[in-house]
Amino acid sequence: MSKSISQHTDADLFYQMREEKIIAEQAFAELYARHSPRVFAYCRRILGDRDRAQDAFQDTFIKFFQSAQQERIMTNVPAFLLRIARNLCLNAQRTRHQTVQFEDFHASMNDESAEKTELLKLITAAMDLLPDDYRETFVLREYDGLSYQEICEVTNSTMATVKIRLFRAKQKIREILAPYLADLAK
Amino acid sequence: MNNHSTSDLLHAFLDGELEQSHEQPLFNELASSGELRNEMRELLAMRSAVQQDIEAFTPPLAATSNIFSTLGFTLPAATAGAVAAGEALTASSAATTVAAASWWSKFWLPSATALIGAGVTFWLLNWGYNSNLNAMAATQSAEIQKIRSEAAAQLADQANSFRNQLQNVEPKVVIQTQKVYVPKVEYRYIDKPSVADNSMKQNVNKSVLNTPIEESASIFAAHDRQPLYAQFSSGGNSIFPKQTSTYIASPISQDNALVESHDALTGEILEREFLPQDEPYYQRWSAKVGGVVSNWSSAPSTSLTAPTGTFKDINGQLMFFLSKDFSVGRKLGQEAFPLHYEGTISDRKIIRDQYSIVWWYGLSAQYQVSSLSFWGGVQPYITGFGGFSELGTHVRGEVGVQYPLSSLLSISAGYEVSGLFYEFQNVGFNTVKTGFNSGIIIHF
């Protein structure tokens, strides 16, 4: 008896995307269902602006499917997806810095439509104050659940660099939110 | 061990990256350092807050639609439903194409069901259950017609003969007939001996008599050795000869049995028409328009939470009667369901936006318990429904009563339970609602 689509591994599904349309469509839909939340979370929290995050998110999955058509050994689909998302977000950030940096800064700070709790709102604001590489490491760890080794692969960084960035990112957020976290931790 | 290194260890431990050999030193430090314990609490609070960032983990439905349309794929069914209702898609031709495709993906199953249902109904109407009933009805009608014809012919001969006799005696007499509705009365009477015959004992007997419905109070039995008569009056005039006996009989039950036509002058029966015990079967339909005011009463089967509140819906039902009590048909309606779910399943953040209103459609079966009719015609009924909605499988159940205002119009009220089952991102959802319904039914 053949396995249902949900029982296939990420790698199996990745290779199935090279096959005929019906199979490829099912495989893509399953991978999309599994990984779209973490990819969008990365785009959303790295870029801040929801519309730009949506654009990067869409392009990520389209490029992901196109990449699957090429002969490629796949070992870690989420890391591969996040690498694509990272490159697209970096491009988007460059464009933003060149054009409407000031307006978007306020847009990202004031985009509070989704924040459900006050702490979450504060963390999101604090993340925007972090350097880009710190923020990215924090998002990959806390939002996407990547291990240190996977973060190294996605960001092309050493283990020591990842550890330092992550440690400092958390400490920085703790410093910014110190009064609030102290109350919350009691 | 300095503070920086113990913090490093703590961070690594919370991230699941600490080597086992370093765990015990960390635990020792945690036991002795309040500052480190505070730091751990703060880091955990931070992580907990991030896990509540549901908005960040929820791709916009429009983005999902755009991705699938760009790749030439059909939007997954659950997502397609949410896109169509919830988010305004950009008016690109690609999106329009996808919307059309997703529309068909949602409706092909209900449409196929409708075609099958129509076919089954057509078969029932022409060759199935209905044809047998119609054959029975035709046979029964022919039998009745035959009795009527024979009785009419026989009575016509008698009436003509009688008229001829009367007209021979008095040509100016005008023959009048009076149709009397005659119930069959089962009654008890006292068989009392006459004064002249003291030897006879008094007995209580039971008998059956066809007597006019106007006779409601006293029914007089004749002498035990004479034929039984009922004394009644119509318009103040006695029709049957008054009997000499005064024995009182008490009615036990009555059942409408026949209609007699009497000659007003002589009291002779001119025509007798038997009413059939069971009504012949004729094709019968009903159409119902109703609504439900319901309370969203349960959460999904998962750990997700959903809003609560009161919702309304409206629906229509077309039913065909397979018998006097049992009917089948189709039902269409729209109903409000929760706008979104939120929560975490297996470390996956789930947020599910969906229709505030969904359309549903399917097959319905109803049994109205005529034998339990009470309060002047109020009849209980029970209805079951199975079908599909824009999101997934939909079932409904209903119990209530209906009251006929006329032969064409009834009203109904009852209690209804509805359930909706669907899947989104490999997570099964269900909603169950309960509420009071009411409706207006047209019979034709």
Side-chain angles (χ1 to χ4, degrees):
Chain A
M1 183 182 292
S2 62
K3 291 192 290 188
S4 73
I5 193 78
S6 61
Q7 293 174 311
H8 288 268
T9 65
D10 284 352
D12 287 343
L13 294 169
F14 183 82
Y15 298 132
Q16 286 176 18
M17 286 197 294
R18 296 174 190 161
E19 298 181 16
E20 59 184 288
K21 187 182 176 188
I22 293 178
I23 296 174
E25 186 171 348
Q26 287 180 339
F28 179 80
E30 178 63 20
L31 286 173
Y32 183 86
R34 289 182 191 179
H35 302 300
S36 60
R38 67 169 71 185
V39 173
F40 184 71
Y42 177 87
C43 299
R44 181 74 179 90
R45 287 296 164 240
I46 293 298
L47 293 176
D49 178 69
R50 186 176 176 84
D51 291 339
R52 293 157 61 83
Q54 180 174 327
D55 291 342
F57 170 74
Q58 290 175 197
D59 291 345
T60 298
F61 272 94
I62 291 168
K63 286 185 184 301
F64 170 68
F65 182 78
Q66 292 167 347
S67 299
Q69 309 310 310
Q70 304 160 6
E71 291 297 326
R72 178 190 296 272
I73 302 298
M74 177 53 59
T75 55
N76 191 333
V77 167
F80 181 62
L81 271 166
L82 288 167
R83 269 202 300 277
I84 298 173
R86 181 173 188 262
N87 290 332
L88 292 166
C89 288
L90 286 173
N91 289 339
Q93 282 178 317
R94 288 190 203 103
T95 308
R96 180 184 67 167
H97 289 314
Q98 290 167 2
T99 55
V100 287
Q101 183 176 4
F102 178 78
E103 290 178 0
D104 270 12
F105 172 77
H106 283 279
S108 66
M109 290 291 290
N110 294 328
D111 185 7
E112 298 173 354
S113 61
E115 280 72 23
K116 302 294 183 187
T117 67
E118 186 178 359
L119 177 59
L120 179 59
K121 186 166 58 178
L122 292 171
I123 290 175
T124 308
M127 283 167 54
D128 284 337
L129 298 176
L130 295 175
D132 287 348
D133 47 2
Y134 284 19
R135 180 169 67 246
E136 178 185 49
T137 311
F138 179 82
V139 168
L140 289 171
R141 171 62 220 154
E142 295 298 327
Y143 278 82
D144 294 321
L146 264 56
S147 66
Y148 290 176
Q149 183 58 44
E150 287 173 326
I151 296 173
C152 292
E153 293 172 11
V154 171
T155 60
N156 289 324
S157 305
T158 65
M159 180 65 79
T161 304
V162 167
K163 286 182 177 177
I164 290 172
R165 285 176 181 168
L166 187 57
F167 181 82
R168 290 181 179 168
K170 290 180 181 176
Q171 294 299 73
K172 188 74 177 174
I173 292 174
R174 280 185 64 216
E175 287 172 18
I176 296 170
L177 306 182
Y180 194 89
L181 283 173
D183 288 343
L184 206 68
K186 283 178 183 174
Chain B
M1 192 177 292
N2 59 47
N3 285 339
H4 189 275
S5 62
T6 53
S7 286
D8 280 344
L9 294 178
L10 177 61
H11 284 229
F13 175 70
L14 293 178
D15 289 338
E17 301 275 353
L18 186 64
E19 294 177 9
Q20 195 171 6
S21 60
H22 292 149
E23 285 182 354
Q24 196 55 48
L26 173 65
F27 295 158
N28 292 338
E29 191 67 20
L30 275 170
S32 61
S33 171
E35 188 181 346
L36 193 61
R37 286 198 297 275
N38 272 340
E39 183 177 352
M40 183 176 74
R41 292 191 192 99
E42 290 176 7
L43 289 170
L44 289 173
M46 195 189 306
R47 174 164 293 173
S48 175
V50 166
Q51 288 174 351
Q52 298 300 315
D53 194 358
I54 292 172
E55 186 269 347
F57 287 100
T58 309
L61 295 170
T64 302
S65 173
N66 288 339
I67 290 169
F68 278 77
S69 67
T70 302
L71 296 177
F73 292 161
T74 303
L75 208 55
T79 309
V83 169
E87 296 213 3
L89 292 174
T90 53
S92 67
S93 58
T96 305
T97 304
V98 168
S102 65
W103 184 92
W104 173 243
S105 72
K106 285 178 294 183
F107 282 100
W108 75 266
L109 196 53
S111 301
T113 307
L115 286 174
I116 293 170
V120 170
T121 304
F122 185 76
W123 178 82
L124 288 170
L125 282 171
N126 291 278
W127 299 291
Y129 187 74
N130 179 52
S131 62
N132 292 334
L133 288 176
N134 278 340
M136 290 166 57
T139 304
Q140 194 171 4
S141 298
E143 192 69 25
I144 293 169
Q145 192 59 42
K146 183 181 175 185
I147 294 171
R148 284 176 176 169
S149 300
E150 291 174 356
Q154 185 177 354
L155 291 172
D157 290 343
Q158 293 176 358
N160 287 333
S161 171
F162 187 61
R163 283 193 188 92
N164 292 335
Q165 292 176 26
L166 285 177
Q167 285 167 0
N168 289 336
V169 176
E170 176 52 71
K172 292 183 181 179
V173 170
V174 177
I175 305 299
Q176 294 180 340
T177 60
Q178 179 180 14
K179 181 167 283 192
V180 180
Y181 194 51
V182 184
K184 183 171 67 180
V185 179
E186 185 178 18
Y187 71 101
R188 183 182 296 111
Y189 70 96
I190 300 171
D191 187 5
K192 189 176 181 182
S194 66
V195 177
D197 188 0
N198 293 325
S199 63
M200 294 187 66
K201 296 179 180 178
Q202 179 173 307
N203 296 312
V204 177
N205 294 329
K206 192 170 71 173
S207 187
V208 175
L209 179 71
N210 289 327
T211 183
I213 199 168
E214 288 87 353
E215 184 68 17
S216 59
S218 301
I219 299 176
F220 293 89
H223 191 272
D224 60 303
R225 292 185 179 176
Q226 294 179 3
L228 294 171
Y229 291 101
Q231 180 189 10
F232 67 97
S233 61
S234 178
N237 299 317
S238 175
I239 294 178
F240 280 177
K242 207 168 190 177
Q243 300 302 304
T244 55
S245 174
T246 57
Y247 302 150
I248 296 176
S250 58
I252 299 172
S253 66
Q254 70 177 37
D255 180 24
N256 295 337
L258 50 81
V259 174
E260 292 177 346
S261 293
H262 297 273
D263 189 304
L265 184 64
T266 65
E268 291 290 333
I269 297 174
L270 299 181
E271 185 179 1
R272 172 172 287 176
E273 182 178 6
F274 289 91
L275 299 180
Q277 290 295 318
D278 295 316
E279 294 178 13
Y281 176 82
Y282 300 104
Q283 286 186 11
R284 193 153 63 100
W285 294 79
S286 77
K288 176 179 178 180
V289 177
V292 181
V293 176
S294 56
N295 181 39
W296 157 239
S297 61
S298 70
S301 58
T302 65
S303 62
L304 307 184
T305 59
T308 59
T310 300
F311 301 96
K312 301 171 183 177
D313 74 21
I314 187 168
N315 58 69
Q317 174 176 279
L318 179 64
M319 304 295 281
F320 175 74
F321 283 80
L322 296 177
S323 70
K324 188 175 67 174
D325 295 333
F326 185 63
S327 57
V328 296
R330 290 183 284 276
K331 199 169 184 179
L332 169 73
Q334 63 170 202
E335 184 149 354
F337 282 93
L339 291 172
H340 64 268
Y341 301 101
E342 293 181 8
T344 303
I345 299 175
S346 304
D347 295 330
R348 287 175 57 195
K349 315 293 186 301
I350 300 289
I351 182 167
R352 172 75 171 104
D353 288 312
Q354 67 178 50
Y355 289 28
S356 58
I357 299 289
V358 297
W359 282 95
W360 50 266
Y361 178 78
L363 300 177
S364 191
Q366 176 169 308
Y367 185 77
Q368 56 195 65
V369 194
S370 302
S371 58
L372 294 182
S373 175
F374 56 95
W375 292 338
V378 173
Q379 292 180 339
Y381 70 88
I382 182 169
T383 304
F385 167 88
F388 304 90
S389 73
E390 291 168 284
L391 289 176
T393 305
H394 186 47
V395 295
R396 306 177 77 87
E398 176 184 341
V399 293
V401 293
Q402 55 189 38
Y403 178 75
L405 299 175
S406 71
S407 60
L408 296 177
L409 196 65
S410 299
I411 55 176
S412 72
Y415 191 69
E416 186 162 336
V417 178
S418 64
L420 180 65
F421 305 88
Y422 54 98
E423 185 180 283
F424 177 69
Q425 292 193 359
N426 296 323
V427 176
F429 293 79
N430 70 66
T431 45
V432 178
K433 292 168 57 181
T434 59
F436 292 99
N437 67 48
S438 60
I440 297 174
I441 306 161
I442 299 172
H443 304 278
F444 54 98

